[in-house]
Amino acid sequence: MTIFIIIGVIALFLLYIIITYNNVKKGAVKVEQSFSNMDVLLQNRADEIVNLISTTKSAVENEKELLEEVTALRSQVNRNSTKNVEEKLADSQRLEGSVNTLLGRLEAYPDIKFTSQYNHLQNRITNIEENIQAQRRTFNARVADFNAYLVTFPRNIIASIFNFSQKPSFEVTDQSKKENPDVGAMFEE
């Protein structure tokens, strides 16, 4: 009878070791998966911000040309006050042609969009950064759970037998702050 008790205790101990080992492995996989998700978001940020800025710069360039044309026409009208009648008529005809061209462009682009482009850019960057922050919190929570599981007795003994070690959490450092994209510099390119 005592042999069955000893075999039962050994079996329970082995079962506990197996369950603990599997739980530690599952926790490690969850931590790695969470980090992988954060890594994907960081890569998406790098790719999307560059594309958003490129699109915004393109839209702003088109509208900048339109605004420069409007300014040039206004300047031309202001200069007309010192000219004689013939020059004013010639300038008026050129101005009329330019105004018709301008009206055609305004009909093609009924609203000036650079403000909405900048707002869209700002909103997307904010959204991307919020997603990254949320994923960092998820990652850190998984790391904390994993590390807490490893350090409790008797799991800490089993963890040391199988060489499981604690995982580092993600902490924002000065270096990682520097690695965020410099949107202003991207517009200057």
Side-chain angles (χ1 to χ4, degrees):
M1 181 70 138
T2 56
I3 193 139
F4 290 119
I5 294 174
I6 293 172
I7 291 174
V9 169
I10 292 173
L12 284 176
F13 181 69
L14 289 175
L15 182 63
Y16 180 77
I17 289 174
I18 291 169
I19 290 171
T20 301
Y21 178 86
N22 287 336
N23 285 338
V24 170
K25 287 301 256 185
K26 287 178 190 176
V29 167
K30 287 180 180 180
V31 168
E32 289 171 18
Q33 176 189 14
S34 184
F35 180 78
S36 178
N37 291 344
M38 185 170 55
D39 194 40
V40 167
L41 286 172
L42 292 171
Q43 184 61 46
N44 285 345
R45 172 179 68 180
D47 295 341
E48 188 172 349
I49 287 178
V50 169
N51 291 334
L52 283 168
I53 289 175
S54 177
T55 302
T56 303
K57 281 170 67 173
S58 176
V60 169
E61 275 303 313
N62 289 336
E63 292 171 2
K64 180 181 171 188
E65 290 172 14
L66 178 64
L67 293 174
E68 286 174 351
E69 189 172 332
V70 169
T71 303
L73 289 173
R74 193 174 126 234
S75 176
Q76 187 175 3
V77 169
N78 288 341
R79 282 185 268 139
N80 278 343
S81 63
T82 61
K83 296 182 179 182
N84 63 35
V85 175
E86 292 85 20
E87 290 173 333
K88 287 182 181 183
L89 286 175
D91 284 347
S92 176
Q93 289 172 343
R94 282 194 302 272
L95 183 60
E96 186 176 337
S98 295
V99 167
N100 288 336
T101 303
L102 178 61
L103 289 175
R105 287 184 68 188
L106 286 174
E107 288 173 4
Y109 302 100
D111 57 348
I112 295 182
K113 301 173 187 154
F114 66 85
T115 302
S116 66
Q117 288 288 347
Y118 281 121
N119 286 340
H120 176 70
L121 174 66
Q122 182 179 11
N123 290 338
R124 282 301 300 144
I125 290 172
T126 300
N127 184 272
I128 289 167
E129 292 301 321
E130 286 172 355
N131 288 340
I132 290 171
Q133 290 300 322
Q135 189 56 44
R136 284 179 183 158
R137 285 189 297 274
T138 300
F139 172 75
N140 284 340
R142 296 219 179 186
V143 168
D145 290 344
F146 178 80
N147 291 342
Y149 190 82
L150 284 185
V151 298
T152 56
F153 181 80
R155 294 183 197 116
N156 60 345
I157 296 170
I158 296 168
S160 66
I161 291 170
F162 291 106
N163 292 323
F164 290 119
S165 60
Q166 292 187 22
K167 305 280 186 187
S169 60
F170 184 87
E171 295 180 19
V172 177
T173 63
D174 288 337
Q175 182 62 30
S176 65
K177 288 179 184 178
K178 291 176 187 172
E179 292 173 3
N180 285 338
D182 185 357
V183 176
M186 291 179 180
F187 271 100
E188 294 171 1
E189 294 175 346

